[in-house]
Amino acid sequence: MKILVCGATGQIGRSLTTQAQARGLDVIGMSHQQMDLTDARQVQRTVERLRPGLIINAAAFTQVDAAEGNARLAYAVNRDGAALLAGAAAGLAIPLFHLSTDYVFDGQARSPYKESDRTAPLGVYGASKLEGERAVAQRLERHLILRTSWVYGEHGGNFVKSMLRLGARPELRVVDDQIGCPTSAERIASVLLELAHRHVTGGELAWGLYHYSGRSPCSWHAFACEIFRQAKQAGLIQRIPKLVAIPTSQYPTPARRPAWSVLDCSRFETSFGLDTVEWSADLAQLIDALSEQGAHRLAG
Protein backbone atom coordinates (compact mmCIF):
# COMPACT_ATOMS: atom_id res chain seq x y z
CA MET A 1 0.00 0.00 0.00
CA LYS A 2 1.32 3.42 -0.95
CA ILE A 3 1.61 6.10 1.74
CA LEU A 4 1.53 9.73 0.62
CA VAL A 5 3.44 12.09 2.93
CA CYS A 6 2.60 15.77 2.49
CA GLY A 7 5.17 18.25 3.75
CA ALA A 8 7.99 15.80 3.10
CA THR A 9 10.75 18.41 3.47
CA GLY A 10 9.74 19.49 6.99
CA GLN A 11 11.05 18.19 10.30
CA ILE A 12 8.54 15.38 10.69
CA GLY A 13 8.00 14.84 6.97
CA ARG A 14 11.66 14.11 6.32
CA SER A 15 11.76 11.69 9.22
CA LEU A 16 8.62 10.00 7.92
CA THR A 17 10.01 9.40 4.44
CA THR A 18 13.41 8.26 5.72
CA GLN A 19 11.98 5.84 8.27
CA ALA A 20 9.29 4.56 5.91
CA GLN A 21 11.90 3.62 3.34
CA ALA A 22 13.96 1.89 6.02
CA ARG A 23 10.87 -0.10 7.03
CA GLY A 24 10.30 -1.15 3.43
CA LEU A 25 7.07 0.82 3.13
CA ASP A 26 6.04 2.25 -0.24
CA VAL A 27 6.16 5.97 0.55
CA ILE A 28 5.77 8.97 -1.74
CA GLY A 29 6.99 12.22 -0.22
CA MET A 30 5.57 15.46 -1.57
CA SER A 31 7.12 18.86 -0.90
CA HIS A 32 5.25 22.16 -1.12
CA GLN A 33 6.65 22.63 -4.62
CA GLN A 34 5.35 19.24 -5.72
CA MET A 35 1.91 19.60 -4.17
CA ASP A 36 0.79 23.04 -3.03
CA LEU A 37 -1.99 22.60 -0.45
CA THR A 38 -3.36 26.02 -1.35
CA ASP A 39 -4.05 24.84 -4.92
CA ALA A 40 -7.35 22.91 -4.93
CA ARG A 41 -6.96 21.48 -8.44
CA GLN A 42 -3.41 20.35 -7.80
CA VAL A 43 -4.35 18.62 -4.55
CA GLN A 44 -7.28 16.81 -6.13
CA ARG A 45 -5.34 15.75 -9.22
CA THR A 46 -2.33 14.55 -7.22
CA VAL A 47 -4.41 12.42 -4.86
CA GLU A 48 -6.43 10.98 -7.76
CA ARG A 49 -3.26 10.20 -9.73
CA LEU A 50 -1.39 8.56 -6.88
CA ARG A 51 -4.39 6.90 -5.16
CA PRO A 52 -2.45 6.08 -1.98
CA GLY A 53 -3.81 3.74 0.65
CA LEU A 54 -3.03 6.30 3.37
CA ILE A 55 -2.18 10.01 3.52
CA ILE A 56 -0.05 11.54 6.29
CA ASN A 57 -0.29 15.32 6.37
CA ALA A 58 2.84 16.81 7.93
CA ALA A 59 2.55 20.02 5.90
CA ALA A 60 1.84 23.23 7.78
CA PHE A 61 2.66 26.90 8.13
CA THR A 62 4.53 26.52 11.43
CA GLN A 63 6.23 29.91 11.84
CA VAL A 64 4.34 31.05 14.91
CA ASP A 65 5.46 34.68 14.89
CA ALA A 66 5.35 35.09 11.10
CA ALA A 67 1.75 33.83 11.11
CA GLU A 68 0.64 36.97 12.93
CA GLY A 69 1.53 39.07 9.90
CA ASN A 70 0.62 36.41 7.32
CA ALA A 71 -2.75 35.22 8.55
CA ARG A 72 -4.12 34.68 5.05
CA LEU A 73 -1.31 32.28 4.13
CA ALA A 74 -1.40 30.53 7.52
CA TYR A 75 -5.12 29.82 7.15
CA ALA A 76 -4.71 28.88 3.50
CA VAL A 77 -2.25 26.12 4.42
CA ASN A 78 -3.32 25.07 7.92
CA ARG A 79 -7.10 25.24 7.48
CA ASP A 80 -7.97 25.31 3.81
CA GLY A 81 -5.16 22.98 2.75
CA ALA A 82 -6.19 20.45 5.36
CA ALA A 83 -9.78 20.74 4.15
CA LEU A 84 -8.77 20.19 0.51
CA LEU A 85 -6.69 17.17 1.41
CA ALA A 86 -9.43 15.65 3.57
CA GLY A 87 -12.01 16.28 0.84
CA ALA A 88 -9.86 14.57 -1.79
CA ALA A 89 -9.23 11.67 0.58
CA ALA A 90 -12.93 11.32 1.36
CA GLY A 91 -13.79 11.10 -2.33
CA LEU A 92 -11.52 8.08 -2.72
CA ALA A 93 -12.13 6.55 0.74
CA ILE A 94 -8.52 7.14 1.81
CA PRO A 95 -7.79 7.54 5.54
CA LEU A 96 -5.74 10.51 6.71
CA PHE A 97 -3.26 11.09 9.55
CA HIS A 98 -3.11 14.81 10.33
CA LEU A 99 -0.65 16.59 12.65
CA SER A 100 -1.73 19.40 14.93
CA THR A 101 -0.41 21.34 17.91
CA ASP A 102 -0.60 22.16 21.61
CA TYR A 103 -1.08 25.80 20.57
CA VAL A 104 -4.81 25.19 20.17
CA PHE A 105 -4.93 25.79 23.95
CA ASP A 106 -4.49 29.07 25.83
CA GLY A 107 -2.13 27.70 28.47
CA GLN A 108 -4.26 28.71 31.45
CA ALA A 109 -4.61 25.14 32.75
CA ARG A 110 -2.37 23.60 35.38
CA SER A 111 -3.07 19.96 34.64
CA PRO A 112 -2.25 18.20 31.36
CA TYR A 113 -4.69 18.98 28.57
CA LYS A 114 -7.03 16.20 27.50
CA GLU A 115 -8.47 15.93 23.98
CA SER A 116 -11.87 16.97 25.34
CA ASP A 117 -10.65 20.17 27.01
CA ARG A 118 -11.77 23.57 25.77
CA THR A 119 -9.63 25.03 23.01
CA ALA A 120 -8.78 28.74 22.96
CA PRO A 121 -5.75 29.52 20.78
CA LEU A 122 -3.83 32.71 21.53
CA GLY A 123 -2.60 33.44 18.01
CA VAL A 124 -3.06 32.90 14.30
CA TYR A 125 -0.95 29.74 14.16
CA GLY A 126 -2.95 27.91 16.83
CA ALA A 127 -6.28 29.19 15.51
CA SER A 128 -5.50 28.12 11.94
CA LYS A 129 -4.40 24.67 13.08
CA LEU A 130 -7.56 24.26 15.15
CA GLU A 131 -9.67 25.12 12.11
CA GLY A 132 -7.67 22.56 10.16
CA GLU A 133 -8.52 19.89 12.73
CA ARG A 134 -12.20 20.72 12.42
CA ALA A 135 -12.05 20.67 8.63
CA VAL A 136 -10.51 17.19 8.63
CA ALA A 137 -12.97 15.82 11.18
CA GLN A 138 -15.96 17.22 9.28
CA ARG A 139 -14.94 15.86 5.89
CA LEU A 140 -13.47 12.48 6.63
CA GLU A 141 -14.65 9.73 8.96
CA ARG A 142 -11.41 7.72 8.97
CA HIS A 143 -9.02 10.34 10.31
CA LEU A 144 -6.39 10.39 13.03
CA ILE A 145 -5.50 13.84 14.28
CA LEU A 146 -2.37 13.92 16.43
CA ARG A 147 -1.65 17.00 18.54
CA THR A 148 1.96 17.26 19.61
CA SER A 149 4.24 19.87 21.16
CA TRP A 150 7.67 21.53 21.16
CA VAL A 151 8.95 19.52 18.20
CA TYR A 152 12.69 19.15 17.69
CA GLY A 153 14.73 16.85 15.49
CA GLU A 154 17.55 16.22 13.08
CA HIS A 155 16.06 18.12 10.15
CA GLY A 156 15.11 21.75 9.73
CA GLY A 157 15.20 24.53 12.30
CA ASN A 158 14.22 23.93 15.90
CA PHE A 159 15.03 24.93 19.47
CA VAL A 160 17.77 22.34 19.98
CA LYS A 161 19.73 23.36 16.91
CA SER A 162 19.16 27.07 17.62
CA MET A 163 20.58 26.68 21.13
CA LEU A 164 23.63 24.84 19.86
CA ARG A 165 24.25 27.47 17.17
CA LEU A 166 24.02 30.23 19.77
CA GLY A 167 26.12 28.34 22.29
CA ALA A 168 29.32 30.18 21.37
CA ARG A 169 27.93 33.25 23.12
CA PRO A 170 29.03 33.69 26.73
CA GLU A 171 25.45 34.09 27.97
CA LEU A 172 21.97 33.09 26.78
CA ARG A 173 18.70 34.33 28.24
CA VAL A 174 15.99 31.66 28.03
CA VAL A 175 12.32 31.81 29.02
CA ASP A 176 11.55 29.87 32.19
CA ASP A 177 7.80 30.41 32.67
CA GLN A 178 6.50 28.52 29.64
CA ILE A 179 6.07 24.82 30.39
CA GLY A 180 5.70 22.03 27.87
CA CYS A 181 6.94 18.62 26.75
CA PRO A 182 9.64 18.54 24.06
CA THR A 183 8.88 15.95 21.40
CA SER A 184 11.26 14.31 18.96
CA ALA A 185 10.27 14.53 15.30
CA GLU A 186 11.87 11.14 14.81
CA ARG A 187 9.71 9.69 17.59
CA ILE A 188 6.53 11.19 16.11
CA ALA A 189 7.42 9.72 12.71
CA SER A 190 8.11 6.32 14.25
CA VAL A 191 4.76 6.30 16.05
CA LEU A 192 2.83 7.37 12.95
CA LEU A 193 4.50 4.70 10.85
CA GLU A 194 3.72 2.05 13.44
CA LEU A 195 0.07 3.05 13.20
CA ALA A 196 0.34 3.07 9.41
CA HIS A 197 1.73 -0.47 9.54
CA ARG A 198 -1.17 -1.56 11.72
CA HIS A 199 -3.60 -0.02 9.27
CA VAL A 200 -1.89 -1.78 6.36
CA THR A 201 -1.96 -5.16 8.08
CA GLY A 202 -5.18 -4.86 10.08
CA GLY A 203 -7.27 -2.49 8.02
CA GLU A 204 -8.75 -0.45 10.86
CA LEU A 205 -7.62 1.79 13.70
CA ALA A 206 -9.27 3.61 16.58
CA TRP A 207 -9.73 6.78 14.55
CA GLY A 208 -10.13 10.20 16.14
CA LEU A 209 -8.25 12.93 18.01
CA TYR A 210 -5.20 12.14 20.15
CA HIS A 211 -2.39 13.81 22.06
CA TYR A 212 1.20 12.60 21.81
CA SER A 213 4.32 14.27 23.19
CA GLY A 214 7.54 13.57 25.02
CA ARG A 215 7.20 12.61 28.66
CA SER A 216 7.85 14.96 31.62
CA PRO A 217 7.15 18.72 31.52
CA CYS A 218 9.94 21.29 31.56
CA SER A 219 10.52 24.95 30.81
CA TRP A 220 12.44 26.23 27.80
CA HIS A 221 15.26 27.12 30.21
CA ALA A 222 15.36 23.60 31.66
CA PHE A 223 15.28 22.20 28.13
CA ALA A 224 18.23 24.40 27.17
CA CYS A 225 20.21 23.30 30.24
CA GLU A 226 19.77 19.64 29.30
CA ILE A 227 20.64 20.32 25.65
CA PHE A 228 23.98 21.87 26.61
CA ARG A 229 24.71 19.26 29.28
CA GLN A 230 24.29 16.44 26.80
CA ALA A 231 26.08 18.28 24.00
CA LYS A 232 29.16 18.87 26.16
CA GLN A 233 29.11 15.29 27.40
CA ALA A 234 29.02 14.09 23.78
CA GLY A 235 31.86 16.41 22.76
CA LEU A 236 29.65 18.43 20.40
CA ILE A 237 30.56 21.65 22.25
CA GLN A 238 33.56 22.59 24.39
CA ARG A 239 31.88 24.83 26.93
CA ILE A 240 28.41 25.60 28.23
CA PRO A 241 27.31 29.24 28.12
CA LYS A 242 25.76 30.90 31.15
CA LEU A 243 22.03 30.22 30.90
CA VAL A 244 19.93 32.93 32.50
CA ALA A 245 16.28 32.15 33.29
CA ILE A 246 13.95 35.00 32.31
CA PRO A 247 10.16 35.52 32.30
CA THR A 248 8.22 35.73 29.05
CA SER A 249 7.74 39.45 29.68
CA GLN A 250 11.46 39.96 29.06
CA TYR A 251 11.32 38.17 25.69
CA PRO A 252 8.47 39.80 23.75
CA THR A 253 7.40 38.15 20.49
CA PRO A 254 4.73 39.01 17.89
CA ALA A 255 2.67 35.94 18.89
CA ARG A 256 1.63 35.05 22.41
CA ARG A 257 2.59 31.56 23.55
CA PRO A 258 0.66 29.41 26.02
CA ALA A 259 2.34 29.34 29.44
CA TRP A 260 1.27 25.70 29.88
CA SER A 261 1.52 23.32 26.92
CA VAL A 262 1.48 19.95 28.66
CA LEU A 263 -0.62 17.31 26.89
CA ASP A 264 -2.31 14.32 28.52
CA CYS A 265 -1.31 11.39 26.29
CA SER A 266 -3.10 8.65 28.22
CA ARG A 267 -5.84 8.19 25.61
CA PHE A 268 -3.23 7.53 22.93
CA GLU A 269 -1.24 5.15 25.14
CA THR A 270 -4.35 3.21 26.13
CA SER A 271 -5.82 3.05 22.63
CA PHE A 272 -2.66 1.92 20.85
CA GLY A 273 -0.47 0.40 23.56
CA LEU A 274 2.36 2.77 22.64
CA ASP A 275 4.01 4.55 25.55
CA THR A 276 5.42 8.03 25.42
CA VAL A 277 9.18 8.37 25.95
CA GLU A 278 11.23 10.68 28.18
CA TRP A 279 12.24 13.60 25.97
CA SER A 280 15.75 13.58 27.43
CA ALA A 281 16.29 10.05 26.07
CA ASP A 282 15.22 11.06 22.56
CA LEU A 283 17.34 14.21 22.88
CA ALA A 284 20.37 12.01 23.58
CA GLN A 285 19.79 10.17 20.31
CA LEU A 286 19.63 13.47 18.43
CA ILE A 287 22.80 14.79 20.08
CA ASP A 288 24.61 11.59 19.13
CA ALA A 289 23.40 11.91 15.52
CA LEU A 290 24.49 15.56 15.32
CA SER A 291 27.86 14.68 16.82
CA GLU A 292 28.44 12.01 14.19
CA GLN A 293 27.38 14.23 11.32
CA GLY A 294 29.35 17.32 12.33
CA ALA A 295 28.44 20.85 13.30
CA HIS A 296 27.28 21.73 9.75
CA ARG A 297 24.10 19.79 10.47
CA LEU A 298 23.03 22.49 12.92
CA ALA A 299 22.16 24.75 9.99
CA GLY A 300 19.34 22.45 8.88
Side-chain angles (χ1 to χ4, degrees):
M1 181 178 73
K2 285 186 294 188
I3 300 173
L4 171 61
V5 174
C6 306
T9 57
Q11 282 195 92
I12 298 172
R14 287 176 69 177
S15 291
L16 280 166
T17 55
T18 300
Q19 291 185 36
Q21 290 166 354
R23 286 171 176 246
L25 296 171
D26 185 4
V27 61
I28 302 169
M30 286 282 177
S31 66
H32 167 74
Q33 288 74 23
Q34 293 169 311
M35 186 173 72
D36 182 354
L37 289 188
T38 67
D39 186 330
R41 293 181 65 186
Q42 190 178 70
V43 170
Q44 186 68 38
R45 287 176 176 176
T46 302
V47 173
E48 288 180 349
R49 174 173 56 84
L50 296 175
R51 292 185 177 268
L54 173 69
I55 299 172
I56 303 179
N57 184 27
F61 188 106
T62 58
Q63 300 171 57
V64 177
D65 289 324
E68 295 300 305
N70 294 275
R72 180 176 295 181
L73 180 57
Y75 275 99
V77 176
N78 296 342
R79 178 193 61 194
D80 303 337
L84 290 172
L85 199 56
L92 295 170
I94 302 169
L96 170 69
F97 292 178
H98 178 74
L99 286 163
S100 193
T101 174
D102 55 308
Y103 278 33
V104 300
F105 298 110
D106 63 10
Q108 296 302 304
R110 281 298 174 265
S111 60
Y113 282 108
K114 296 181 180 293
E115 291 84 351
S116 57
D117 285 337
R118 183 181 70 90
T119 53
L122 298 176
V124 170
Y125 169 66
S128 62
K129 289 297 290 180
L130 179 59
E131 290 299 314
E133 290 182 11
R134 291 170 175 167
V136 169
Q138 289 169 1
R139 286 164 175 78
L140 186 63
E141 182 178 352
R142 290 196 300 166
H143 67 268
L144 190 146
I145 297 169
L146 195 70
R147 290 177 182 154
T148 190
S149 65
W150 291 24
V151 179
Y152 68 92
E154 182 178 340
H155 307 291
N158 55 68
F159 184 77
V160 173
K161 292 164 78 173
S162 294
M163 286 294 101
L164 293 174
R165 278 200 308 272
L166 296 171
R169 298 180 182 180
E171 179 180 296
L172 293 176
R173 295 159 60 83
V174 188
V175 169
D176 196 39
D177 58 357
Q178 293 176 24
I179 307 298
C181 292
T183 313
S184 159
E186 287 73 33
R187 180 69 58 182
I188 295 168
S190 176
V191 162
L192 289 175
L193 290 173
E194 171 58 28
L195 297 181
H197 174 73
R198 294 183 187 184
H199 170 63
V200 170
T201 57
E204 281 302 320
L205 287 174
W207 306 104
L209 172 65
Y210 294 93
H211 290 171
Y212 185 86
S213 68
R215 190 187 302 159
S216 300
C218 68
S219 69
W220 289 113
H221 178 265
F223 189 17
C225 289
E226 182 63 12
I227 290 166
F228 284 112
R229 186 194 72 79
Q230 290 195 17
K232 187 172 188 302
Q233 187 178 52
L236 187 57
I237 59 172
Q238 298 305 309
R239 54 173 293 278
I240 298 175
K242 181 181 180 182
L243 297 170
V244 180
I246 62 170
T248 299
S249 59
Q250 291 184 20
Y251 190 76
T253 55
R256 293 172 60 200
R257 267 82 168 166
W260 178 262
S261 287
V262 181
L263 301 176
D264 183 329
C265 303
S266 59
R267 181 169 184 257
F268 181 92
E269 293 176 311
T270 300
S271 297
F272 300 115
L274 295 170
D275 291 336
T276 56
V277 176
E278 288 290 341
W279 59 263
S280 57
D282 279 339
L283 174 63
Q285 293 189 18
L286 172 61
I287 294 295
D288 286 345
L290 293 175
S291 298
E292 291 175 4
Q293 295 163 6
H296 70 279
R297 292 294 297 169
L298 300 181

